[in-house]
């Protein structure tokens, strides 16, 4: 039981570093200047759901990018033919290709040689580069298409370029500490703390700001001519070829017309643009010259005289705000492709502050309840475990700050849940020590054997929890991934605090007090007696009741079904706080007048908060912004004292991905646990655990259907956590069964199972009780934001505990007896040895 000094030094270093890393989280913001510079920024960053702000995910419009590339290919082909003085051949767009008809094979070969020079090699996963443009020849017809490698390369370049442009545009608005990063292959995530209404920024980020200058055609139609409109609906025949690109702009400023005092935007070209602009205006005096932005004509003035100064003005029916945004767009540069806002989540700062306050209160209450239970069960030894638990929470905060992780609302729930899960190991250790001491072993021997025998159970239980958490991290997104990070850190640290630190502390107490025997008892004279229940007598009743409840849950799943959240259905959701008790009928009638589709309302919390759900609007991202603004205006009209605390917009593509990833995560978690338990135990242990897990999962889904709680990403996090906890609880029972099967090889399996359950019954109840008490305050006071996580977790803990005894064990008995009879038949079938 002696710990080497080098090991003590490492443990001490870990604890000291963790305490230092956590220190900024406990220092008031106005006192952070007292800390060293390298430590001031180590505090945990709050997620937008806690501090308020906006979260947007933008996706590159790949079809638009492909169309632009094909248009460029058509223009370049036309330019080459004109340059080589080849007439009578007109490249045309046909589907996803540019088609060129030539008069004969000789001309086809000549044109093919020309257009092949437009291709550029791009590096793919292999060693040989691939051309981004593919040229196919069929007789006298040439077909130019974009290769997948070339398209992927263009998307990659567009994302890299868009990242910088988006960053410049956000800086133009002046949002403090924005987070802008690439997500996946074709998406950009933008997080803006403190920004509650991102309408203007949404328009700023979603606009391509592709300004170009075109000549107005003399005729209304013809090849190479498109009809575009201005803001007032006037139509203009515009030449498709770009006379001058907006990329040549070097500056754009909002200002006012000196004569009319109307808002306008003044711009200036670079040297090449100035020269090109001068040439255009010299050659086309008297012709209209259109300034086009994102497919709309801003203005089409007639060129009165050559303009050689390289500057000009854009005027129209602009507001001052319009000119500020337009100038910011032009200064930041044109996006290489349109960016579509496919997901948007906004939380008001007041709501975030309320969530933090209720989360802290719930966490403290849960901690106090768990500490009270530990002290009530184990006295002073429970205090040691509670001290390790407090250290675990502090080190978790330190690790989050050190890693630069963001603490989200589900992450806060993960810390609270981790309080209950982390102390489970100490209950297993204390109960094991009590068993060894009851067998007459000395204090050190009981301590040593207690830790050693509990260690394998603790490892197996934590590994199952880690499997579920890792899959949640892999397939989760946003705040749910924050929950996974918090749980991962908490589980790993609990192995250190609950095992290593507690072991050293308990050993030191025994050594200093020179204890000969170790006695762990409750200060309330509570003495747990070993039970002798015959659980297997009720095995058919337990399995039958479980199957009945699971079938009832499936029926509830089918009708009325789950209350799917916006994460899985897509659409618009707003959380509104009203100034008085909500009249749903009046609210539904008022919002129904907006003509935004079917309005779904749900009262939450104290009756003065309501969730408003709308289907996704037709008309692109502008329609979503308009719908949210209409809801805000209508709510102010219906209830002047109301406020919109939170809004969410999720596109159908994102909702489909989230639903698919959620199902994959649940299935993979179940399979991974099956493999692990099979490896650690026997096949029938694994099959029994998974069969019970299926029954537990269906009951939890039925609970969601029965209560009407939102089934969204947070609910998937709850479901995966329940799966991990359910298997965790079964491992405790299985571990004792495996131990007894080795000790009592002649005893019938039924008796071994009954004896094992009776031996671990109290520790199963106690470990479940700690988790139950830790999460219960969050379920009561956490509010609507965490209700669909905390309430199912309370239910799941109860289901997992009862199923370990009344379902998993009977299934194990049935499978074990079947396997035993099968082995016996195989032995009987062997030939008898010769005399």
């Amino acid at each position: 039981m002696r710990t080497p000094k080098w090991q003590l030094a490492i443990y001490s270093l870990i604890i000291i570093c963790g305490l230092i890393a956590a220190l900024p989280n406990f220092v008031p913001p106005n006192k952070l200047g007292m800390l060293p510079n390298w430590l001031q920024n180590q505090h945990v960053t709050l997620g937008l759901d806690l501090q308020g702000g906006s979260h947007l995910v933008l996706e590159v419009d790949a079809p638009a990018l492909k169309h632009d590339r094909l248009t460029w290919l058509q223009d370049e082909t036309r330019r080459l033919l004109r340059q080589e003085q080849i007439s009578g051949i007109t490249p045309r767009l046909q589907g996803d290709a540019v088609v060129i008809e030539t008069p004969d094979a000789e001309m086809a070969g000549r044109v093919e040689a020309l257009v092949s020079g437009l291709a550029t090699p791009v590096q793919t996963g292999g060693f040989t580069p691939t051309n981004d443009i593919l040229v196919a020849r069929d007789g006298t017809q040439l077909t130019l298409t974009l290769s997948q490698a070339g398209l992927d390369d263009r998307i990659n370049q567009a994302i890299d370029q868009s990242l910088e442009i988006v960053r410049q545009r956000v800086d133009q608005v002046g949002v403090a500490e924005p987070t802008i990063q690439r997500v996946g292959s074709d998406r950009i995530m933008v997080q803006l703390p403190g920004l509650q209404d991102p309408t203007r920024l949404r328009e700023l980020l979603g606009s391509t700001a592709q300004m170009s200058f075109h000549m107005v055609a003399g005729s209304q139609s013809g090849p190479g001519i498109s009809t575009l409109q201005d803001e007032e609906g006037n139509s203009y025949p515009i030449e498709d070829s770009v006379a001058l690109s907006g990329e040549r702009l070097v500056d754009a400023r909002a200002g006012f017309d000196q004569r009319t005092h109307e808002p306008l935007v003044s711009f200036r070209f670079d040297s090449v643009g100035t020269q090109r602009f001068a040439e255009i205006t010299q050659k086309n005096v008297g012709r209209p010259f259109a300034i086009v932005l994102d497919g709309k004509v801003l203005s089409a003035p007639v060129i009165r005289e050559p303009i050689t100064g390289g500057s000009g003005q854009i005027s129209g029916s602009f507001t001052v705000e319009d000119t500020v945004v337009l100038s910011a767009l032009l200064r930041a540069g044109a996006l290489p492709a349109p960016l579509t806002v496919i997901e948007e989540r906004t939380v008001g700062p007041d709501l975030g502050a309320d969530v933090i306050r209720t989360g802290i209160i719930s966490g403290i209450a849960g901690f106090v309840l768990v500490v009270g239970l530990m002290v009530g069960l184990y006295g002073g030894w429970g205090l040691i475990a509670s001290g390790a638990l407090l250290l675990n929470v502090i080190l978790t905060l330190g690790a989050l700050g050190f890693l630069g992780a963001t603490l989200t609302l589900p992450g806060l729930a993960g810390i609270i849940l981790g309080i209950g899960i982390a102390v489970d190991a100490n209950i297993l250790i204390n109960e094991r020590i009590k068993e060894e001491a009851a067998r007459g072993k000395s204090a050190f021997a009981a301590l040593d054997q207690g830790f050693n025998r509990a260690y394998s159970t603790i490892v197996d239980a934590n590994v199952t929890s880690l499997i579920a958490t890792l899959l949640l991290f892999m397939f989760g997104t946003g705040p749910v991934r924050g929950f996974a990070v918090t749980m991962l850190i908490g589980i790993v640290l609990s192995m250190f605090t609950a095992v290593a630190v507690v072991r050293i502390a308990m050993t030191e107490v025994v050594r200093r007090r020179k204890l000969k025997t170790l006695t762990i008892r409750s200060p309330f004279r509570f003495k747990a007696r070993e039970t002798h229940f015959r659980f297997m007598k009720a095995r058919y009743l337990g399995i039958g009741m479980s199957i009945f409840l699971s079938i009832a849950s499936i029926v509830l799943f089918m009708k009325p079904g789950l209350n799917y959240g916006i994460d899985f259905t897509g659409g618009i959701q707003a959380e509104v706080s009203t100034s008085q008790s909500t009249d749903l009928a009046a609210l539904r009638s008022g919002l129904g007048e907006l003509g935004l589709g079917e309005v779904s309302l749900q009262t939450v919390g104290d009756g003065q908060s309501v969730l408003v759900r709308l289907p996704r609007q037709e008309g692109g991202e502008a329609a979503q912004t308009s719908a949210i603004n209409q809801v805000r205006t209508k709510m102010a009209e219906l209830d002047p004292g109301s406020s919109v605390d939170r809004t969410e917009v999720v596109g159908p593509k994102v909702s489909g991905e989230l639903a698919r990833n959620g199902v994959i995560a649940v299935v993979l978690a179940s399979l991974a646990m099956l493999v692990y338990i099979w490896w650690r135990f026997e096949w029938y242990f694994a099959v029994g655990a998974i069969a019970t897990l299926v029954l537990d999962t269906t009951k939890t889904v039925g609970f969601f259907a029965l209560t009407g709680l939102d089934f969204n990403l947070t609910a998937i996090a709850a479901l995966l956590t329940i799966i991990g906890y359910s298997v965790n609880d079964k491992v405790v029972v299985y571990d004792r069964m495996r131990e007894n099967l080795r000790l009592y090889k002649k005893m019938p399996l039924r008796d071994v199972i009954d004896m094992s359950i009776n031996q671990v019954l109290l520790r199963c109840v106690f470990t479940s009780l700690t988790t139950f008490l830790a999460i219960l305050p969050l379920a009561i006071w956490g509010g609507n934001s965490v209700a669909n996580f905390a309430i199912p977790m309370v239910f799941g803990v109860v289901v997992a505990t009862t199923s370990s005894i009344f379902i998993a064990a009977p299934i194990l008995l049935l499978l074990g007896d079947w396997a035993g009879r099968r082995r016996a038949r195989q032995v009987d079938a062997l030939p008898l040895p010769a005399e």
Side-chain angles (χ1 to χ4, degrees):
M1 291 299 295
R2 292 188 180 278
T3 305
K5 290 184 178 179
W6 64 268
Q7 200 170 350
L8 280 174
I10 292 176
Y11 290 170
S12 301
L13 184 62
I14 292 173
I15 293 172
I16 291 170
C17 290
L19 293 176
I20 292 174
L23 182 60
N25 299 296
F26 301 96
V27 176
N30 57 345
K31 301 290 185 182
L32 282 174
M34 300 171 60
L35 299 177
N37 293 332
W38 58 271
L39 189 59
Q40 292 178 16
N41 295 324
Q42 290 297 319
H43 58 83
V44 175
T45 303
L46 297 179
L48 297 183
D49 52 357
L50 293 179
Q51 65 172 315
S54 295
H55 166 98
L56 298 95
V57 177
L58 304 103
E59 184 178 60
V60 166
D61 190 342
L65 187 68
K66 186 175 184 178
H67 181 268
D68 288 348
R69 185 66 173 164
L70 286 170
T71 303
W72 171 87
L73 185 57
Q74 182 188 26
D75 291 342
E76 285 297 298
T77 304
R78 190 183 291 123
R79 182 186 61 80
L80 284 175
L81 294 174
R82 192 184 306 118
Q83 183 177 316
E84 293 295 320
Q85 298 182 347
I86 300 175
S87 59
I89 298 177
T90 304
R92 70 178 190 278
L93 281 176
Q94 184 174 313
D96 291 337
V98 175
V99 178
I100 307 171
E101 295 283 356
T102 60
D104 50 52
E106 181 183 352
M107 181 62 71
R110 183 182 173 189
V111 174
E112 181 181 11
L114 280 175
V115 297
S116 295
L118 296 174
T120 304
V122 294
Q123 192 65 45
T124 59
F127 295 100
T128 305
T130 304
N131 285 338
D132 62 342
I133 298 172
L134 304 177
V135 182
R137 179 177 170 184
D138 183 11
T140 59
Q141 179 177 288
L142 297 174
T143 304
L144 283 63
T145 56
L146 305 177
S147 68
Q148 187 59 47
L151 190 59
D152 292 343
D153 183 67
R154 296 294 297 182
I155 291 175
N156 186 59
Q157 290 180 31
I159 282 288
D160 290 341
Q161 186 179 345
S162 298
L163 270 173
E164 293 305 315
I165 294 173
V166 166
R167 188 171 287 111
Q168 291 178 42
R169 293 185 181 183
V170 171
D171 289 342
Q172 296 280 351
V173 177
V175 178
E177 299 182 1
T179 300
I180 303 168
Q181 61 188 35
R182 183 171 183 166
V183 180
S185 61
D186 59 352
R187 292 178 185 174
I188 296 173
M189 182 189 72
V190 182
Q191 292 187 335
L192 309 165
L195 188 67
Q196 186 176 357
D197 183 8
T199 302
R200 180 58 62 180
L201 187 67
R202 181 190 178 104
E203 296 172 356
L204 191 68
L205 296 180
S207 176
T208 54
Q210 292 178 325
M211 193 172 86
S212 54
F213 300 85
H214 302 252
M215 299 306 303
V216 177
S219 59
Q220 293 294 323
S221 61
I225 297 176
S226 299
T227 301
L228 301 180
Q229 293 184 335
D230 60 13
E231 290 289 344
E232 297 177 358
N234 299 316
S235 298
Y236 298 86
I238 305 296
E239 293 183 2
D240 292 340
S241 59
V242 178
L244 182 59
S245 170
E247 294 176 358
R248 292 300 177 185
L249 289 173
V250 294
D251 193 19
R253 298 288 171 187
F256 294 91
D257 190 295
Q258 296 292 334
R259 294 179 292 102
T260 63
H261 302 289
E262 292 181 349
L264 53 77
V265 175
S266 58
F267 60 85
R268 183 164 51 86
F269 291 111
D270 61 10
S271 57
V272 175
T274 299
Q275 181 180 354
R276 176 62 181 153
F277 195 50
E279 293 174 359
I280 293 170
T281 53
Q282 285 171 354
K283 294 179 181 178
N284 295 281
V285 173
R287 289 188 61 189
F289 189 59
I291 304 172
V292 179
L293 178 69
D294 291 342
K296 285 189 177 181
V297 177
L298 292 178
S299 60
V302 175
I303 301 174
R304 304 293 182 188
E305 57 186 7
I307 303 173
T308 57
S311 62
Q313 293 178 338
I314 305 171
S315 59
S317 55
F318 295 142
T319 64
V320 174
E321 192 175 25
D322 290 337
T323 59
V324 170
V325 172
L326 178 57
S327 60
L329 286 169
L330 297 178
R331 281 197 305 274
L335 287 168
L339 291 178
T340 304
V341 181
I342 59 173
E343 182 181 355
E344 176 192 318
R345 302 178 192 270
T346 301
V347 177
D350 293 338
L351 181 62
D354 290 341
V355 170
I356 294 174
R357 184 171 58 256
T358 56
I360 292 174
I361 292 172
S362 301
I364 294 174
F367 184 85
V368 170
L369 288 174
V370 171
V371 170
L373 178 66
M374 292 300 293
V375 174
L377 290 175
Y378 307 117
W381 305 106
L383 276 176
I384 293 177
S386 301
L389 182 61
L390 179 61
L391 180 63
N392 177 272
V393 174
I394 295 173
L395 293 183
T396 299
L397 291 174
L400 289 171
F402 178 76
L403 295 174
T406 300
L407 181 62
T408 61
L409 176 56
L412 186 60
I415 292 177
I416 296 172
L417 177 63
I419 290 172
I421 293 178
V423 83
D424 286 358
N426 294 120
I427 291 177
L428 295 174
I429 290 168
N430 279 291
E431 291 295 323
R432 274 291 191 176
I433 292 172
K434 285 169 66 175
E435 283 185 8
E436 300 301 323
R439 292 172 183 168
K441 292 185 178 178
S442 66
F444 276 118
L447 205 60
D448 183 45
Q449 288 297 310
F451 272 94
N452 290 340
R453 290 182 181 275
Y455 188 72
S456 63
T457 307
I458 295 169
V459 170
D460 287 334
N462 281 331
V463 166
T464 56
S465 296
L466 280 172
I467 289 172
T469 308
L470 281 169
L471 287 167
L472 191 60
F473 178 80
M474 290 171 59
F475 292 98
T477 182
V480 174
R481 181 169 281 191
F483 166 80
V485 170
T486 305
M487 285 295 293
L488 283 170
I489 293 172
I491 290 170
V492 172
L493 286 175
S494 71
M495 291 292 293
F496 171 67
T497 57
V499 179
V501 174
V502 171
R503 182 183 181 118
I504 292 172
M506 293 183 75
T507 303
E508 193 63 22
V509 170
V510 171
R511 180 175 288 113
R512 287 182 178 276
R513 293 190 178 184
K514 299 180 179 179
L515 299 177
K516 300 297 183 183
T517 58
L518 196 59
T519 304
I520 298 178
R521 62 166 62 96
S522 169
F524 302 107
R525 301 188 183 278
F526 167 75
K527 184 177 181 180
R529 296 182 179 179
E530 186 175 342
T531 57
H532 300 281
F533 298 119
R534 306 294 291 178
F535 290 102
M536 291 305 98
K537 279 189 175 181
R539 61 186 182 278
Y540 295 116
L541 177 63
I543 294 176
M545 283 292 295
S546 178
I547 293 174
F548 171 76
L549 291 174
S550 292
I551 292 174
S553 297
I554 293 172
V555 172
L556 287 171
F557 171 72
M558 297 173 66
K559 188 176 182 179
L562 296 174
N563 181 24
Y564 289 105
I566 191 174
D567 291 335
F568 296 152
T569 61
I572 301 171
Q573 177 172 291
E575 183 174 340
V576 181
S577 294
T578 56
S579 59
Q580 53 193 350
S581 295
T582 307
D583 184 349
L584 291 182
L587 195 57
R588 185 176 287 107
S589 175
L591 293 175
E593 295 173 358
L594 298 176
L596 299 175
E598 183 180 354
V599 180
S600 172
L601 301 178
Q602 179 184 348
T603 305
V604 294
D606 56 1
Q608 290 188 276
S609 293
V610 62
L611 285 179
V612 181
R613 287 198 184 97
L614 301 170
R616 188 170 176 83
Q617 306 297 301
E618 297 292 335
E621 301 315 308
Q624 317 312 313
T625 302
S626 174
I628 292 175
N629 290 337
Q630 288 182 63
V631 170
R632 291 179 186 272
T633 304
K634 193 65 177 180
M635 284 305 307
E637 177 186 325
L638 295 172
D639 184 358
S642 66
S643 62
V644 179
D645 297 327
R646 180 175 60 188
T647 61
E648 297 179 66
V649 179
V650 178
K653 184 174 182 179
V654 173
S655 61
E657 290 174 356
L658 296 178
R660 183 176 64 252
N661 289 344
V663 172
I664 291 174
V666 172
V667 172
L668 287 182
S670 302
L671 291 176
M673 291 176 191
L674 171 69
V675 172
Y676 181 77
I677 295 178
W678 197 322
W679 172 62
R680 289 289 289 149
F681 297 90
E682 296 285 345
W683 68 267
Y684 47 90
F685 282 85
V687 174
I690 295 303
T692 310
L693 197 58
V694 171
L695 296 173
D696 289 354
T697 304
T698 53
K699 293 187 192 71
T700 307
V701 171
F703 180 79
F704 272 103
L706 185 64
T707 57
L709 290 168
D710 266 11
F711 194 80
N712 53 16
L713 275 180
T714 310
I716 289 290
L719 195 60
L720 277 172
T721 307
I722 290 170
I723 288 173
Y725 188 83
S726 178
V727 177
N728 180 321
D729 198 72
K730 284 152 190 60
V731 164
V732 175
V733 180
Y734 280 178
D735 190 68
R736 180 53 64 97
M737 290 179 184
R738 176 177 57 181
E739 184 180 331
N740 286 332
L741 282 170
R742 293 169 179 169
L743 291 174
Y744 306 99
K745 296 182 179 180
K746 301 286 186 178
M747 185 181 290
L749 180 60
R750 175 175 174 170
D751 294 338
V752 170
I753 291 176
D754 272 336
M755 179 178 64
S756 301
I757 294 175
N758 279 287
Q759 288 174 346
V760 299
L761 180 61
L762 285 176
R763 71 197 60 179
C764 282
V765 172
F766 292 158
T767 53
S768 298
L769 191 57
T770 57
T771 307
F772 181 89
L773 291 176
I775 204 73
L776 183 62
L778 192 64
I780 296 173
W781 297 310
N784 175 64
S785 302
V786 291
N788 54 351
F789 176 84
I791 295 175
M793 274 303 306
V794 170
F795 173 81
V797 169
V798 176
V799 168
T801 306
T802 54
S803 67
S804 298
I805 298 170
F806 296 105
I807 304 170
I811 292 176
L812 181 63
L813 175 60
L814 294 174
L815 293 172
D817 283 344
W818 177 82
R821 289 193 298 271
R822 185 167 178 268
R823 281 196 299 267
R825 286 196 300 269
Q826 290 174 343
V827 171
D828 291 342
L830 292 174
L832 294 174
E835 293 184 3

